[in-house]
Amino acid sequence: MQQLANGVWRLQSGQPEAHTPVSLRETEMKTEALEKLACEGRPPFTLEEVAVKRTARGVNIELPLGAEEQIYGFGLQLHRVNHTGRKKVIRVNSDPIADTGDGHAPVPFYVSTAGYGVFVDTSRYATFYCGTNLPKGASEHKQFETKSVATSEIELYGYQTASGERSVVIDVPFAEGIHVYFFEGPDLISAVQRYNLFSGGGCLPPLWGLGMWYRAYSAARNEDVQRLAEGFRNDRMPVDVFGFEPGWQTKAYSCSFVWDESRFPEHESMLDSLYGMNYKVNLWEHLFVHPTSPMYQALKPHSGNYEVWEGLVPDLAVKEAKEVFADHHLREFVDKGISGFKLDECDSSDFVHSNWSFPDIAEFPSGMDGEQMHNQLGTLYQAAVQAPFEVAGKRTLSQVRSSGALASPFPFVLYSDLYNHKVFIRGIVNSGFSGLLWTPEVRQAESPEDLIRRIQTVVFSPLALLNCWRIPNPPWMQVDREKNVRGEFLDNYEEVRDVCRELFELRMSLIPYVYSSFAKYSFEGLPPFRALVMDYPDDPNTYGIDDAYMMGESLLVAPMVTGETKRSVYLPKGRWWDFWTNKPYEGGQTYECTPGLRHIPVFVKDQTLLPLAKPLPYVSDDCTFELTVRAYGSAPSDCLLYEDDGSSFHYREGEYNWVKLSWHPDHQGAIAHSGNYDGCKYKVVSWEAIR
Amino acid sequence: MQQLANGVWRLQSGQPEAHTPVSLRETEMKTEALEKLACEGRPPFTLEEVAVKRTARGVNIELPLGAEEQIYGFGLQLHRVNHTGRKKVIRVNSDPIADTGDGHAPVPFYVSTAGYGVFVDTSRYATFYCGTNLPKGASEHKQFETKSVATSEIELYGYQTASGERSVVIDVPFAEGIHVYFFEGPDLISAVQRYNLFSGGGCLPPLWGLGMWYRAYSAARNEDVQRLAEGFRNDRMPVDVFGFEPGWQTKAYSCSFVWDESRFPEHESMLDSLYGMNYKVNLWEHLFVHPTSPMYQALKPHSGNYEVWEGLVPDLAVKEAKEVFADHHLREFVDKGISGFKLDECDSSDFVHSNWSFPDIAEFPSGMDGEQMHNQLGTLYQAAVQAPFEVAGKRTLSQVRSSGALASPFPFVLYSDLYNHKVFIRGIVNSGFSGLLWTPEVRQAESPEDLIRRIQTVVFSPLALLNCWRIPNPPWMQVDREKNVRGEFLDNYEEVRDVCRELFELRMSLIPYVYSSFAKYSFEGLPPFRALVMDYPDDPNTYGIDDAYMMGESLLVAPMVTGETKRSVYLPKGRWWDFWTNKPYEGGQTYECTPGLRHIPVFVKDQTLLPLAKPLPYVSDDCTFELTVRAYGSAPSDCLLYEDDGSSFHYREGEYNWVKLSWHPDHQGAIAHSGNYDGCKYKVVSWEAIR
C-alpha cells in the first residue's frame, strides 16, 4: 500500500492497463492542499482486508463493508442516492432510464459513512456490488421466522436485502492488473475532498458563468437572435450567457464546426452586437466530424475505425487529434470571443429507440477500444475544448453531456435529455459525491407553475440554464410549444415574467456566495453542492434524502415540483432560519412546508453571515457587488468571500483575496480584504441582524 | 467450414470456451429431420466473408449484411421485432424495460430475410451490432443535402441509421475462441426450422397443457383451493391446470421445496381431490435453496460461492447437483401426481428497485462464472426439472421465467412480470424466431374490457394462463384487487363470466389444431406461433409487424388491447376469411377491423381445412375430440392432424398417427388415420363449406 500524498493511498495488483483515468489525465493532484487536511495517516483497509484476484474475466476486488455503513458516489447517478445493497455498472450512457449505474457520468469511486473513499482506476465498464450478496453458507445457521405469504411484488422483493458479513465486490473486465486508490476521512466529506484534490481540485468558473443562461431556438436566424437578446435587456431580465444550438453550423449530425452563413450572414458582426450587449456566447457541438468539416482530413488518420452519423470519431487521446481540434476551436471561436461550448452526445445511447455511437469493439489509434473510449470520451473532450481557453488565458464555464473519473478540475457542467424534475433534483444531490457539476436545466414546461418550479431549482444549482432550443420565444411568454412557435402568448405573461425576473435576480444576488463556494471547491476540494449526508454523516435521517441538498456551507435547499403545494423537509440538528420569512426552526426534525408558488423551502444554517448582492443585469469584468449581509443567530461566524478578477487564470499565481466579513453585535459588521488581488468586487452596503 | 448435417455448418476459430450452450446441452440434433429439409448444401458465407478476430477483450466476429436484409431473432425480445440497425446484448434479465437485448430469454441467434441463420455458441453477454455503424471513411465522398434545422428529438435522432456497406459485428467477451454455426435456408423459416432441429426439435406438450390454466391466490389455504376448484366445475369454466403460488412451501424466498402443512394439512388428500376433479397440478418454485430445505446439505458442496435470498444457488451443470434436485422432484412431487412446475426468478434483476441474484463474478463448481451461469440458468433448470418427468414417463408442460439458446426441446413456456399488453403480444411474435414459447399471461385487469382483451390474447397463445396470485376470487367476479380480496363482486359478473367461458371454450375447440401445430414443431422444427415475416419473407409489409402473428399454418391472429374499438390488420397476398363472420378478404392490403368486444381479428388462410372441437370441460387421458371441420375456399388442401396418447413418451417410439382430413366437394370430407398409435382421439361430426 503506497502513500501518494497525505491521506491518499494506492494499491497495485498485477499489470494495470495502459489507458485509465489516471494515465490519461493531464492535471496533477494538489499535494499541498492535501497536506492541510488532517487525517490519521493510515489507509482505511489493511492489505489483508483487500482481496484482489485475477480471473479469466479480468480483475476481481473484494473489500469489507460494515453492517452500518452506507455507500454513496459512482458519479452522476440519477435514480438513487444511497447505493448500499445495490449493483452499479460504470458504463456511460445518455438515457439512464433505470437504476443500473449507467449514466452520463458514472465514476468508479465511492465513499462510505465510515469515512473513507475508494477509487478503482479503470475505464472499463466495472461493476460494483455494494453488499448485494452474502457468501455461501452465511445464512445456514440463522434463526428463521415463520413466513407470512406475500401477495404483492413489494412484499416479495421489498425486504430482500442482504444483512450480515457483507462486502463490496468489484468486477473489472479484461484488465490484467489494477490500481486501487484509497482516500482517508476521517469523515465522508473529507474523503470526497481528498478525491477532488487528487483529481486536481475543483474548477473555478468565471464570475459570469454564475449568472443566468439562455439557449435559443435551434432554427433561429440572425434576426431572431437579435430580437431575443435585445428583449432580455429591454425587459430587465438578467441574462449573462446566450447559447446557440446546432443551427449555427453548416452541418450538424455530424458537425462541420463552421458557421452557417445562410442563417447567420456576417456572423461576426452579430457576435459583436451580442458582446456589445454584454452577453457571453456559447456554441453547441458534438465530437463527430462531418466530411465537410475543415478538420476532416487532418483528423482522419487519428480517428476510430467506425463512423458515427457519417462523421469521424477523433481519438483525443492522441496528441495530434487533440491539437487539430483545440487549434480549430482557438482560431475560429475562442479568439473570436466565444466564451464556451456545449459538448453534446459524447455519451452513447442504448435505452431509447435510436441507439447510436461507436461499438465497444471499435479500435482507436491510441490503442483504446470502444468500451474504454466511451467511458473516457467525456473527459478527453473536456480537456480538448478547455485547451484553447488555457492558451487564450480566459476561463470558461461550459456544458458537457458526459463526464467521468477525476473530472473536478474541468469547468464543465453536466446536463441530460431525461426530464423528470425529481430526477433532476436528485442529480444535484448526487453529483457532489464524485467531483461533478450538474444543471437541472429548464427545457420545457407543462404550465407556468411547472416553469416556475423548474426555474427555482436551476437558480439554486451550479448552472442556471434555460435551454429553449425548441421554442422561438421565451417560455414566460408561452409554455405551450405549438403556441410559442405560432407567437400566441399567455394572457398573463407579464405576471409570469415578473415571477421569473424575481428568480433571476435572486440568482444574481447569490453570485458572491456561490462564487466563494466554488473557490473552496477549487482550493479545498469541497463540493459547492452536496447531499445532506456529507455535512451530517452521523445522522441516519439524512442517509436517504434525495430531494434536498446543501448549496455551499449555509443554505439547505428543498425544491418543489409542479402539483405540490407542500413538501416535508428534514432539518438536521441545530437551529435553521427560513430564508424568506426569517422564522427560526429547531433541527433534528421534519417540517411540512407550504411556501406558496413564488418560493421553495430554503433554510439558512444558524450563525451564518450570508452576503446577498444587489442584482446586476449581467456580470461585466469591472462589476462590483453591493452586498447586504444577513447575520443569522446570536453570534454569527466569520464569512470568507473569495475575490479575484473573475475571468483570467491569474488567481493561479496567487492574485486573489479572501474577504472576511465579521459580525460585531455593537457596530454591526466589518469587511477586510487580504491577498494579492488589487481589485475590489465587494462592497457592503448594509447589515441585517436576524434573531 | 465444417458441415454437421444437411444445411448446418460450423466454423471454429481459436479455442472455444468449455461451457457453452452446445457443450452443456443434453439433447441431440435431429439429423434425419434435417435431411428432409431441402437446401443448396452451401454455407451462407464463404470463409473469406467471415472475419473472426481475437482481441484483448475476447472474440470479435464480423459478417456481411446486405442493403435489403432484415434481421430477426435474439430470443424473447419484448421491445422490437426487426433488429436491423440495432445493438442487442444477449444478457438475461427479468425486467427488460428497454430495447437493449436484455430479457428473460436472449439467444445469440439471428435469421435474415436473405434466408440464413447464424448462431454464436456462447453463454457470454455477447453484443450484436446489426448494421449500426459504417467503417471510417465510408461517408467521405457522399453527396450531402443542405440540412434543415431540427427542433425536436425525433428530427435529430430519427433518421440517423447507417446505410451503405453494413455488417453485423459481434463482440463475445472473455472468450479465446468460438464456434459459429450457420443454418441454410433457402428461406427464413427453413433457417429457423434448422436451428430448432439442431437444438433437438420442438417440444411436444401433453394434450392437457393446451387447455386453460389458472394459478390461484398466493395466500390460499386448503379450503380456498377446494372452493375455487369446485367453482370452476360448477360454473362450467373449462380449466385443466391448477397452479399453486409460493404459499404452498414452508419457506419461499428462498425455497424449502416442502409442503406447508399449516396451510395445507393433509395436502395429499387435497391433491387427490383435485386429481379427482380432473385437474393437473402445477407448483411454483425458484432455484434458490433455503437452509431449511431437505436438499440443502446435499447441494451445498455443489453450489455457487454466493447466496441469493439466504439460499444456495445449486450448480445444475454438475451432475450431483442435478441429481439431488431431480430426485427430490421425482420422489416428492412427480411420483405424487404433480404435472408441472413454474420456475420463477431464474433470470436476474437489474432494472427495478430491488435488484437481486448472484454477481457475474460468482464462481461455480463446474467452472462456470456468474455471467455464464446467468445465461445458462434457465435451460439448466429446465433440464433438471424435466428429468423426473422423463423417469416417470410422463410429459409435462411447465412454466419458466428464463431460457436461452437451443431451448426448443424443453416443454416450458416463458412468462414475465412486465405487463404491458402490447409488449406481451410482441412476445408471441418474437418467440418463434428462436425456439421459444411465450405466454402473455392474464394477471390483473383494469376493467372487464381489459380482462376480456387479455384473455383473448392468451387463448390464441401457446399457454392459456390466468395467473391470479394476487386475488382470491376469479377475475371475472371482480377485476379490482382490493374489492376482490374483500369479496365484493361485479354487478354483472355473470355476464363477464359468460364472455370468459365463451373464450375458454374457444381455446378448447382449438386444441386439436394447436396440438398438431406443436407436433410439426417437434418433428420438423416449425414454430407453432410465429411472425408474419416467417411465412411471407418476400413481403416488406410484414417486416415490421409486431402486433399480429400466425398461429399454426392457417390462422392469422391480431389481438386488441383495452381502449381500442378498431385496429388495422395487414393481410399478406392471397385470400383470407374472417374466422367469426366467414367473410372473405383479399390480401396484399390493410383493413380496419371493428370486431366488437367479444372478438378480435382472426383470419383463416384460403384453402384451409380447419378442425374445431366441441369444447371439453377438461382434457382427460381418454377424451375424444368431436370435430367440426370448416372448409375454406374452393379447393381446400388436406389437413394433417397429429394423434397420440397425449401424455406419455411413447410417440418417440413411433406410437402416433397422422390423421388426414380431405375435402371432397361432392361428399364433403374424409378422415384417414395412419400410424402406430392404436387409439383414436378425433371424430369428425360435421363439415362446413365456407366460400
Side-chain angles (χ1 to χ4, degrees), chain A residues 205-246:
Chain A
L207 261 173
W208 56 257
L210 303 179
M212 295 301 305
W213 291 50
Y214 188 96
R215 303 202 72 90
Y217 193 41
S218 197
R221 296 173 164 271
N222 205 338
E223 55 274 23
D224 306 310
V225 167
Q226 204 72 25
R227 180 175 44 83
L228 279 169
E230 286 168 6
F232 299 150
R233 295 295 179 244
N234 293 339
D235 292 341
R236 295 175 295 106
M237 299 299 283
V239 172
D240 268 285
V241 182
F242 196 96
F244 287 77
E245 287 290 298

Side-chain angles (χ1 to χ4, degrees), chain B residues 275 327 329-338 388 391-392 394:
Chain B
Y275 302 156
D327 286 354
H329 281 71
L330 177 64
R331 201 170 53 244
E332 298 298 326
F333 308 122
V334 180
D335 275 353
K336 292 178 178 169
I338 298 301
V391 174
K394 296 198 296 191

Side-chain angles (χ1 to χ4, degrees), chain B residues 93-107:
Chain B
N93 219 287
S94 66
D95 300 279
I97 56 171
D99 181 33
T100 52
D102 297 88
H104 300 284
V107 179

